[in-house]
Amino acid sequence: MNSNPNLAEVASLIGNPSRAAMLVSLLGGKALPAGDLARAARISPQTASTHLAKMINAGLLIQESHGRHKYFRLANSEVGHALEALQTISPPKPIRSLRESNQLHALQFARTCYDHLAGKIGVALTDRLVEMNFIEKSGKEFILNAKGKTKLHKFGVTVEKSPKSRRCFARQCLDWSERRYHLAGSLGASLTRRLFELKWIENLPDGRAVRVTDAGIKGLSEEFGLHLTIE
Amino acid sequence: MNSNPNLAEVASLIGNPSRAAMLVSLLGGKALPAGDLARAARISPQTASTHLAKMINAGLLIQESHGRHKYFRLANSEVGHALEALQTISPPKPIRSLRESNQLHALQFARTCYDHLAGKIGVALTDRLVEMNFIEKSGKEFILNAKGKTKLHKFGVTVEKSPKSRRCFARQCLDWSERRYHLAGSLGASLTRRLFELKWIENLPDGRAVRVTDAGIKGLSEEFGLHLTIE
DNA sequence: TTCATACTTCGATGATAAACGAAATATTGT
DNA sequence: ACAATATTTCGTTTATCATCGAAGTATGAA
């Protein structure tokens, strides 16, 4: 009679406040260990463990073991997409203060994802690197060409793949909120490190949001033709 | 610290099997009376009434009174979008009868998703619009270019973004049955409305499944190079 | 007015599951 | 080997909420 997929099952999983808190923590795309997720949801590790098991079982999360830590992340981009769609219909304003509202904006605008830059700025900067013909998309990676290598090296970024690390050099990382790719991998990390070093960006007090400084606005414009407008 | 206790609130509303069944019945975009929704969810009118009140309260539904009947429908396209997004990550429901199997096939082939076209046809038509270079993907939207604007305007579609509505003009909506994007937003809705107007598509008796008429097969082929084969 | 239909409110019941303490398992460090 | 840390499993408690019967309100029909 009524249509096929079993909505209620997944929705009820997301519908628990503790699980929802964990899922939101994972929306940044990062994998987090069980303990961190428990803390984020303000519940005991035991309780978190049962929640995580349920979400693994339902295909919402996947698990990677690293020693005694178990890392969890969203199983795929569809899950992130669904969570965001739910957020858009989450009624009036959950936001208790102006400060929280600003924080939320800040996250969408610029944040770190593991160790590289994400959010609107992350995507926009990557776009500029492509447009200026420094990097180009190729499968799941970017390729840094000679022109880009020169430019970024002069800018203070490590442009050689470290031979001992088997980390991907210039991975494409999908930003769910923008649904666009930005630069990750060791190149993305090195570039982001350099931006911190130059104090073009700085960490906001808590969480993973990042602020672009005045020097950053000037610098990104001059070096990469990335013109930011303050909203 | 992290954003949304209300995410859980909405999700838990959708997470009840009875409420989910009612919401899915409303995904076709039509308004239905409380009694019909109770029957669709196989629950008593009293129970349905409390469920509906909760969903009204949370802003998922809106209510119109017509005499002693009260009609309910999805509050806005975002709700429809969120439901579809959840369907993409929901496990399929076992099929119990031939009738259900047929219904499922019809839904996968063509259906309305709140107010725009989805299913094989929805995705295929969107693909054609991209291939014919009328629209192009950009982030989470499509961009309608000059060529597309001319073409669709001539076809009878509203191609201007309504300034007072803050609804997205041409959003990408993830299709649960195809796992691909189709055209949504006010442009998608207007195009779908026009297809109904031309009687190229028509609603099947119950639910949100849609049939492509003979005129539609001819028209879609001639106008958009979309060649349908009857299965 | 009186009856019938559509929906809502109230109260009681029963089932589900979230939470944590206690204890088990697994891994790393000393 | 032993202690420390990270996670899981089990059993118990507790709270929530879906459900429906019964009764109430509102609208339309006879």
Side-chain angles (χ1 to χ4, degrees):
Chain A
M1 155 99 55
N2 54 47
S3 95
N4 190 41
N6 200 353
L7 263 198
E9 205 174 305
V10 220
S12 71
L13 281 175
I14 305 172
N16 173 277
S18 305
R19 282 191 296 257
M22 296 195 259
L23 288 168
V24 170
S25 304
L26 292 169
L27 250 187
K30 226 168 120 167
L32 296 173
D36 286 16
L37 291 169
R39 219 166 311 118
R42 301 165 180 282
I43 51 177
S44 68
Q46 309 95 292
T47 308
S49 180
T50 62
H51 283 317
L52 289 167
K54 283 176 190 171
M55 292 194 280
I56 292 281
N57 211 284
L60 279 138
L61 301 182
I62 51 182
Q63 195 188 39
E64 295 160 14
S65 295
H66 287 287
R68 57 182 158 183
H69 296 268
K70 300 225 170 147
Y71 283 82
F72 295 83
R73 57 189 177 80
L74 301 189
N76 52 54
S77 64
E78 278 91 354
V79 176
H81 181 215
L83 289 171
E84 292 200 329
L86 281 171
Q87 283 190 331
T88 63
I89 60 168
S90 291
K93 292 300 171 246
I95 293 155
R96 309 236 178 280
S97 67
L98 181 61
R99 194 173 157 299
E100 271 183 53
S101 155
N102 290 338
Q103 188 109 18
L104 206 62
H105 257 103
L107 271 179
Q108 284 174 4
F109 186 65
R111 65 169 190 276
T112 49
C113 167
Y114 291 103
D115 56 5
H116 60 268
L117 198 58
K120 276 196 169 55
I121 294 286
V123 171
L125 180 55
T126 304
D127 280 353
R128 284 304 300 156
L129 293 175
V130 172
E131 281 163 20
M132 294 173 87
N133 198 29
F134 295 150
I135 58 176
E136 47 197 284
K137 283 193 184 185
S138 166
K140 303 186 170 191
E141 301 185 28
F142 290 104
I143 291 175
L144 178 66
N145 58 31
K147 196 174 151 199
K149 207 171 270 187
T150 309
K151 165 76 180 184
L152 288 181
H153 177 67
K154 212 156 60 182
F155 186 62
V157 172
T158 307
V159 294
E160 301 302 335
K161 178 167 165 51
S162 157
K164 51 192 166 187
S165 142
R166 60 185 126 53
R167 178 176 185 188
C168 181
F169 176 61
R171 197 168 59 85
Q172 292 181 29
C173 180
L174 182 62
D175 188 302
W176 286 314
S177 56
E178 297 295 311
R179 203 168 307 158
R180 302 276 306 277
Y181 288 101
H182 59 257
L183 178 64
S186 56
L187 181 63
S190 175
L191 174 59
T192 304
R193 219 176 308 121
R194 183 66 180 145
L195 294 176
F196 274 116
E197 226 170 74
L198 291 169
K199 295 199 197 308
W200 285 13
I201 57 178
E202 57 189 20
N203 275 308
L204 284 175
D206 80 349
R208 51 197 210 284
V210 158
R211 194 179 82 86
V212 181
T213 64
D214 289 341
I217 291 173
K218 188 155 171 287
L220 288 171
S221 166
E222 287 172 5
E223 288 288 326
F224 298 105
L226 176 59
H227 309 296
L228 302 176
T229 50
I230 314 295
E231 313 170 30
Chain B
M1 167 171 162
N2 68 44
S3 45
N4 228 334
N6 287 30
L7 173 73
E9 203 175 307
V10 202
S12 73
L13 281 175
I14 304 172
N16 173 277
S18 305
R19 283 192 295 256
M22 295 196 259
L23 288 167
V24 169
S25 304
L26 292 169
L27 250 185
K30 280 185 298 208
L32 296 174
D36 286 16
L37 291 169
R39 220 166 312 116
R42 303 166 179 282
I43 51 177
S44 68
Q46 309 97 290
T47 307
S49 181
T50 61
H51 284 317
L52 290 167
K54 283 176 190 173
M55 292 194 281
I56 292 282
N57 212 284
L60 288 174
L61 302 182
I62 51 183
Q63 195 187 40
E64 296 159 13
S65 294
H66 287 288
R68 57 183 159 180
H69 295 269
K70 300 221 171 149
Y71 283 82
F72 295 84
R73 58 187 177 82
L74 299 188
N76 53 54
S77 63
E78 276 88 3
V79 176
H81 183 225
L83 291 172
E84 284 271 330
L86 279 171
Q87 302 213 27
T88 63
I89 58 170
S90 299
K93 201 157 95 183
I95 295 165
R96 287 194 298 265
S97 65
L98 180 61
R99 201 176 116 58
E100 275 187 7
S101 163
N102 290 337
Q103 188 96 28
L104 177 59
H105 260 101
L107 278 176
Q108 285 174 350
F109 184 66
R111 65 178 179 275
T112 48
C113 168
Y114 186 62
D115 59 3
H116 60 269
L117 196 59
K120 272 198 170 54
I121 297 289
V123 170
L125 181 55
T126 304
D127 280 351
R128 285 304 301 155
L129 293 175
V130 171
E131 282 162 18
M132 294 173 88
N133 197 28
F134 296 149
I135 59 177
E136 46 197 286
K137 284 193 182 184
S138 166
K140 38 175 114 178
E141 300 185 26
F142 289 103
I143 291 174
L144 178 65
N145 58 30
K147 196 175 151 198
K149 207 172 268 187
T150 310
K151 166 76 182 185
L152 288 181
H153 177 69
K154 211 157 61 181
F155 186 63
V157 172
T158 308
V159 293
E160 302 301 334
K161 179 169 166 48
S162 158
K164 51 191 168 188
S165 145
R166 63 185 123 54
R167 180 175 184 189
C168 181
F169 176 61
R171 98 176 300 157
Q172 293 180 31
C173 178
L174 187 57
D175 194 295
W176 61 261
S177 55
E178 295 294 302
R179 311 200 142 265
R180 300 266 317 278
Y181 290 103
H182 59 247
L183 176 65
S186 56
L187 182 64
S190 175
L191 174 57
T192 304
R193 218 177 308 123
R194 183 63 178 146
L195 294 176
F196 275 116
E197 222 172 78
L198 291 169
K199 296 200 197 309
W200 286 14
I201 57 178
E202 58 189 20
N203 277 307
L204 284 175
D206 94 333
R208 60 204 169 104
V210 157
R211 194 180 83 85
V212 181
T213 63
D214 288 341
I217 290 172
K218 186 155 175 289
L220 288 171
S221 166
E222 287 172 5
E223 288 289 325
F224 299 105
L226 176 58
H227 308 298
L228 303 176
T229 49
I230 314 296
E231 314 168 33

